[in-house]
Amino acid sequence: MYAHHQRLRAADVQELRKQGGRFLKQLREDRGLSQKQLADLVGAEYYTFISQLETGRGRIPPDRYDAWAEALGVDVREFVQNLMRFYDPLTHKILFGNSTDVATQ
């Protein structure tokens, strides 16, 4: 393992997480779900986990992507591709090109 998350500055990583959190919150709200309802649907023990994700203080565990996509009513491939913009921007850029405005310094 290397020490620097994809060679991004900590501030850049935090900003990407916040953007990812806004993305998740929008999906949840579009579905008409409360944080508690979403937590129940995805099997999160505490609804505060949803709050943490929506404020950029965490990541969805990859083994839960299917459950999240189903709960949010979205295609799992599109969901993961969108999450990758925030969680793994360099790999996203390699796989999908420069289709987003993601800092890579």
Side-chain angles (χ1 to χ4, degrees):
M1 278 298 184
Y2 46 80
H4 301 291
H5 178 75
Q6 297 192 45
R7 304 184 72 145
L8 297 176
R9 296 178 319 179
D12 293 335
V13 170
Q14 187 57 42
E15 180 55 32
L16 285 171
R17 292 278 173 83
K18 286 180 182 178
Q19 290 174 18
R22 288 189 294 268
F23 165 73
L24 292 171
K25 182 177 181 177
Q26 186 64 54
L27 288 176
R28 178 181 60 78
E29 290 177 343
D30 288 350
R31 189 80 170 170
L33 297 171
S34 69
Q35 290 180 346
K36 169 97 173 79
Q37 290 169 320
L38 180 57
D40 290 342
L41 289 171
V42 299
E45 192 170 341
Y46 303 103
Y47 78 91
T48 54
F49 178 63
I50 307 303
S51 175
Q52 290 172 345
L53 293 176
E54 290 182 356
T55 57
R57 294 179 307 203
R59 295 173 54 149
I60 297 171
D63 66 332
R64 304 300 303 149
Y65 288 160
D66 285 329
W68 276 77
E70 183 177 334
L72 295 168
V74 295
D75 176 76
V76 68
R77 288 181 144 211
E78 290 177 21
F79 180 67
V80 173
Q81 183 176 342
N82 276 305
L83 280 182
M84 190 179 282
R85 293 184 302 144
F86 311 112
Y87 292 177
D88 194 353
L90 298 179
T91 303
H92 183 274
K93 183 178 178 182
I94 291 167
L95 293 173
F96 307 107
N98 214 5
S99 62
T100 61
D101 188 27
V102 176
T104 57
Q105 183 158 312

